[in-house]
Each structure stands twice: as structure tokens, then as C-alpha cells.
Amino acid sequence: MEPERKDALLAALLPDVPFDGWSAEAMRNAARRIDMDEGELATLFPRGPRDVVAWFSHWADRLTLETMASRPIDEVSLSQRITLGVHTRLALLLPHREAVRRGLSLLTLPANAALGARLLYDTVDALWHGAGDVATDFSFYTKRAMLAGIYAATTLFWLDDRSEDCTATDAFL
């Protein structure tokens, strides 16, 4: 039940984030719209906006993996699967681009830097797993470190990409 309630709060909050940011007030307003009392909101997201931004990132990871799993990728090279994963995630986030921008602003604050690094690791780890990577040796770490740089740079490019269907981001990637 808890993940469903977190998803419901996120869905109610996302339309407001471009205007109100990832704020406690926006969270309370979204909670009221879905009949979630403040006690439940505090239980589900005890650190407030930091926790809901983390849930947003994990929600996007989950949707990306579900989408990747629904596509036949056995005949595609590992690097093409990773590219597909990054493309899939950004396509899923496209309707929420301003929420991503606002989330990155929150995560770059010094007090939130560790959380930002953890969420980036979780995303690139999910992308590698979704692509079928089973490495357990030293390359496990180097692959994730390289993809973290690529994913971060691509996301920053994507935030300002106004090309049709984000073709400029695809070319950048």
C-alpha cells in the first residue's frame, strides 16, 4: 500500500512542481487533493521534499526498467541497450522536464549532494541491470562511473533541448 500512496502523492504533486517547486507547501497541497492527511504525508516522506525527489527518481527508474523489459533487446549490443535505456528514461521524464530541473536544483545544494550522488548511482545501476549487464568484476564499477558522467551530461543537455522529439539530445548521446 505504501508505494501506491507514494505514487499517488507524486502524481498529484508533479503538475505543481514547475510553479511551486519541490516544497513542503506543494506537498501538503497535493496531499489534500488525494485525501492524505499530514500524518501520513510525514510518515511516507519524513524528510519532506528530499524524500519526494528521491521517490520521483526511483519512480522514473522503475518505469524505465519496465519499459526496457517490454522491448526485445536480445539482438542489440550492450552499448545500444544502454543508449536505449537513457533515451527511454528521458522520454518518460519529458512531460516532467521542469520537475527534473527543479529536482536537480534541490539536489545540488550542499546538504543534499550525497543524496544526489546516491540517486545518480541508483539510476545508472538500474540502466546497466536493465540492459542485461551481469558484470561482477572491476568493470562493474568502471561501467557505472562512465555512465554516470554520460547520463549527467546528457540530462543537462536534454533540459534545454527544444528540438522536435529531442533529436538533438539523441545526437548528443
Side-chain angles (χ1 to χ4, degrees):
M1 176 80 166
E2 183 175 298
E4 291 85 9
R5 291 297 281 166
K6 286 183 170 186
D7 282 352
L9 186 278
L10 181 62
L13 176 61
L14 279 171
D16 297 337
V17 172
F19 308 102
D20 301 328
W22 294 99
S23 67
E25 182 179 351
M27 290 174 64
R28 284 190 298 274
N29 291 338
R32 277 192 290 276
R33 285 196 298 276
I34 62 167
D35 296 321
M36 178 183 287
D37 64 48
E38 292 211 19
E40 183 182 8
L41 180 62
T43 299
L44 293 176
F45 302 102
R47 295 179 307 160
R50 290 170 41 117
D51 283 348
V52 78
V53 167
W55 187 256
F56 176 52
S57 182
H58 290 132
W59 170 82
D61 291 342
R62 189 170 18 121
L63 289 180
T64 300
L65 290 176
E66 289 170 7
T67 303
M68 289 176 73
S70 71
R71 295 180 176 156
I73 58 172
D74 294 339
E75 302 299 319
V76 180
S77 73
L78 189 57
S79 65
Q80 289 172 320
R81 287 184 239 164
I82 288 295
T83 301
L84 177 64
V86 172
H87 175 80
T88 298
R89 182 178 166 87
L90 294 177
L92 290 167
L93 288 172
L94 189 59
H96 312 294
R97 188 178 349 212
E98 190 57 33
V100 172
R101 184 186 316 277
R102 295 278 191 129
L104 290 174
S105 294
L106 182 79
L107 293 172
T108 58
L109 295 173
N112 300 331
L115 175 61
R118 180 64 201 190
L119 294 174
L120 176 60
Y121 173 81
D122 290 346
T123 294
V124 298
D125 187 53
L127 290 169
W128 276 112
H129 284 294
D133 180 56
V134 293
T136 57
D137 58 1
F138 185 72
S139 71
F140 175 93
Y141 301 101
T142 58
K143 287 176 182 178
R144 279 149 183 80
M146 288 188 319
L147 183 55
I150 292 166
Y151 179 76
T154 304
T155 300
L156 291 175
F157 186 93
W158 170 80
L159 285 171
D160 289 325
D161 182 2
R162 299 297 177 237
S163 64
E164 188 174 332
D165 295 327
C166 292
T167 54
T169 297
D170 291 338
F172 179 85
L173 177 60

